[in-house]
Every structure is written in structure tokens, then in C-alpha cells.
Amino acid sequence: MNTIQIKDKTFAVSIPAAVIQREVARVAEEINRDLAGKNPLFLSVLNGSFMFTADLMKHITIPCEVSFVKLASYQGVSSTGTIKEVIGINEDLTNRTVVIVEDIVDTGLTMQRLLETLGTRSLKELHIASLLVKPGKLKIDLNIAYVAMRIPNDFIVGYGLDYDGQGRNYPDIYTVCE
Ligand code: IMP
Ligand code: MG
């Protein structure tokens, strides 16, 4: 299945599952190497990063913990700019090494909001792991330590990412056809 239809849009495969899996495993190895002995807390940003988080965690071999936070900023195919925290962070993050696990950093506004929230929690270290980054759309100066793949500005779905709530279930990533 090389193209899919979601509502009014057609999407074509742009990153096959095997490539995603290879890059996710590479990121996990970098984290295993860099954060050994630090008992990192992976903070997965729902909904989009659920697949990335699951696959990443399967390759993490150092002692670690995982938890979930939920934010919302996107409707349809363009950022609304308003970000509301839906589910807060319940863990005590004092003196912890935290790794934010995101599906995609687009403008960076969502990540900035999350960083502001975490900034008041007396963390020891904070790192960002993002499955995807669209460097051409980044508005905020962010240090993203772990990036699986850098992609062009086009809208994508699959592997956790949605168009209007649908398309999260595919193992491949698809780009919208013009
Ligand atoms: P930002 O705040 O502009 O960086 O947007 C971040 C959020 O928008 C991501 O966590 C995604 O949920 C969503 N998003 C950004 N680009 C895409 C895309 O191409 N497809 C689906 N969702 C996207
Ligand atoms: Mg997201």
C-alpha cells in the first residue's frame, strides 16, 4: 500500500518502516551510551509519540523510567499556536535526568511550552529526543540532542502522527500529495 486516503487528502509513503526502525534503534544506542548510570526518566508527549516511545524503549538497555504527558496544539494541517496542557506531570522531577520524547518538532512552540513547564521542576538534566524535526519551520532556538530523522516542511502522517485524528496506526510515514 503506497498511498492512503484520509478524509480529503491523499498521502504517499515517504519513510518506510524499516528506515524508521533503523533510525530509532540508532537514537536508542546514543541514549544508552550518553545516559548510562543516570536512570533517565523518559517523558513521552502524547498522543503523537506513542509509537516512537514504544519502539525506542525496546532498544533502551540502561535502567530507566517512562511516563506520559499530554499537550495539544494542532488542528488539521497547521499549528493553531495555542497550546494547552491536558494531562500534567505527576512525577517528582527534582534532580532527575529527563528525556522528552516527541513525535515531531515543527515550529517548536509546543516544545517551548513544555520546557517552560519543566523549567520550574529543579531537574538535573533535560534532553530532547524527537522522531522528526522540520528544520525549515523551526521558530524557536532549541537544542535537540536526539533526532531520528530531519524532514522537509510537508505535512506527514503515520507512525503515531495524525491528520485530523486519523492515520496514527500506520507503520510507515506518509507525506501529503499536492
Ligand atoms: P509545533 O508546536 O509547531 O512544533 O508542533 C508540534 C506538534 O504539531 C507535534 O507534536 C505534532 O503533534 C504536530 N505536527 C507538526 N507537524 C505535523 C505533521 O506534519 N503531521 C502531523 N502532526 C504534526
Ligand atoms: Mg506531538
Side-chain angles (χ1 to χ4, degrees):
M1 191 172 39
N2 284 323
T3 66
I4 53 169
Q5 182 75 29
I6 301 177
K7 302 190 177 176
D8 59 324
K9 296 197 188 304
T10 307
F11 295 83
V13 172
S14 52
I15 312 177
V19 173
I20 300 172
Q21 293 301 325
R22 184 189 72 208
E23 296 307 314
V24 169
R26 173 188 54 78
V27 164
E29 285 312 317
E30 290 173 16
I31 293 173
N32 286 331
R33 181 198 63 207
D34 294 350
L35 303 185
K38 296 186 168 180
N39 185 27
L41 172 65
F42 292 92
L43 203 57
S44 171
V45 185
L46 295 172
N47 294 327
S49 68
F50 76 97
M51 257 192 215
F52 174 42
T53 303
D55 286 338
L56 182 75
M57 297 309 293
K58 288 182 233 173
H59 293 283
I60 298 293
T61 52
I62 59 175
C64 64
E65 295 167 32
V66 61
S67 189
F68 300 86
V69 64
K70 189 165 180 176
L71 305 145
S73 76
Y74 230 76
Q75 267 171 2
V77 293
S78 67
S79 189
T80 60
T82 47
I83 294 145
K84 52 179 200 246
E85 189 169 339
V86 181
I87 300 174
I89 303 153
N90 302 318
E91 275 71 20
D92 180 8
L93 302 181
T94 308
N95 234 11
R96 295 296 309 262
T97 295
V98 172
V99 182
I100 298 173
V101 181
E102 254 290 26
D103 52 354
I104 184 164
V105 177
D106 187 27
T107 61
L109 290 167
T110 305
M111 187 57 69
Q112 186 185 42
R113 171 66 199 274
L114 190 52
L115 294 177
E116 280 165 15
T117 306
L118 292 173
T120 62
R121 302 289 189 114
S122 311
L123 312 194
K124 187 183 193 178
E125 286 178 45
L126 180 61
H127 306 279
I128 300 170
S130 190
L131 175 71
L132 301 160
V133 176
K134 287 181 182 168
K137 288 190 76 181
L138 212 49
K139 287 185 192 161
I140 314 287
D141 186 25
L142 293 172
N143 175 18
I144 309 174
Y146 305 104
V147 179
M149 293 162 293
R150 291 178 175 79
I151 58 167
N153 291 347
D154 315 298
F155 190 77
I156 54 142
V157 293
Y159 197 70
L161 290 110
D162 72 303
Y163 169 49
D164 222 4
Q166 295 190 2
R168 297 192 194 275
N169 46 303
Y170 296 100
D172 307 292
I173 289 174
Y174 294 74
T175 297
V176 72
C177 301
E178 291 310 325

